[in-house]
Amino acid sequence: MLAAPVDVVPESPDLLHEPKWDGWRCIAFRETDGVYLQSRAGRNLTTYFPDITRAIRTLPHGVVLDGELIVWERGRTNFAQLQRRVTAGRGLLRLVHDCPAHYVLFDLLADAGGQVVLNLPLSERRVRLERLLADAPAQLAVTPQTTDMRLVADWLLTWTVAAGIEGVVSKRLAGRYEPGRRGWWKFRTRIVTEAIVGGVTGSIRNPDTLLLGRFDRRGRLRYTGRTHPLTGLQRTELAGLLSPLRPRQHYSAAVVHPWPEPLPASWSGQLDRPEPLRYVQVEPSAVAEIDADVAFEHGRWRHRVRYARFRPDMSVYDVPLLLGEEEGYFGDLG
């Protein structure tokens, strides 16, 4: 079952709210001869999470669970550690030992013996899920739920920074579980902050998207993400504000941009590696105000951000440092 994005958290006495965890959605099948873990896209994740399959083996045969795979690091979720599970190879067992995963569960699709419970109301599925996991290993945790909007506000204002949740998912207390249907609602916590424009796709005079960066503590401009496609008005505005690289006297050869061209595929932070990105390098002197969510790893926003406006009043040295290298790097929570 899926969730439709919303701009505000819906309020109603017949709704429950849960934290939206920054991890991998996963359906777990406790089969007679073992455990099978399946991603939202249908990918087999079983071999990458021996710690989770071991925990699920303690549950009765026939159980089917829905939840989020996460890894904690220093009290926050760390999405990059999940990605390392896929590429660890022979180092997987060491990684499992050093960075164990957790499976945060929010739904039960089949109970002990394979009893399908999709048509039961969410409230009853929740009771069964809690009963099922009462004596389960600590790596299998039931996600918090609430009907209290004050607690929801606390999650959004405090847990976003402290624990790394992405927002809130809202569900009907009496709702059935309907695979493939967007019958839930998800609100993502977003920030308003700034970044330096270091490149564009398309051309400087007609940019399609912006490639953004921030300085690290050593003063190096690091790539931090890419915007959604620009609107026609935004393209027109930016066409007169962006500049090609300017030669500098201290360079003995061609001007050196701090990022490679094309942009390496691995810089995107995605699970499925895309192709290297061709782009046009620009003079990194323009500051853009952006609207972003709080999902990031390797110092980069994992999802594309929204360009809001040009900030001619700001120097590039007024822009916050690289994500994770300073206090308050989430910007202003909105």
Side-chain angles (χ1 to χ4, degrees), residues 211 221 223 257-265 267 277-279 281:
L211 275 62
L221 184 65
Y223 174 75
H257 193 280
W259 309 336
E261 201 292 317
L263 206 67
W267 284 24
L277 179 66
R278 290 284 179 184
Y279 74 103
Q281 297 172 340

Side-chain angles (χ1 to χ4, degrees), residues 21-24 49 68-85 95 98-102 160-166 269 294-300 302 329:
W21 298 98
D22 185 17
W24 283 347
F49 293 91
E68 197 92 2
L69 293 167
I70 64 171
V71 171
W72 292 102
E73 185 176 56
R74 290 179 291 185
R76 293 190 82 253
T77 56
N78 188 321
F79 192 85
Q81 293 291 2
L82 285 175
Q83 292 181 306
R84 289 184 62 195
R85 292 289 182 113
L95 183 61
D98 294 342
C99 301
H102 287 75
T160 297
V161 176
I165 70 166
E166 294 185 306
V294 295
F296 69 92
E297 74 276 346
H298 306 306
R300 304 182 189 120
R302 193 164 68 250
Y329 56 84

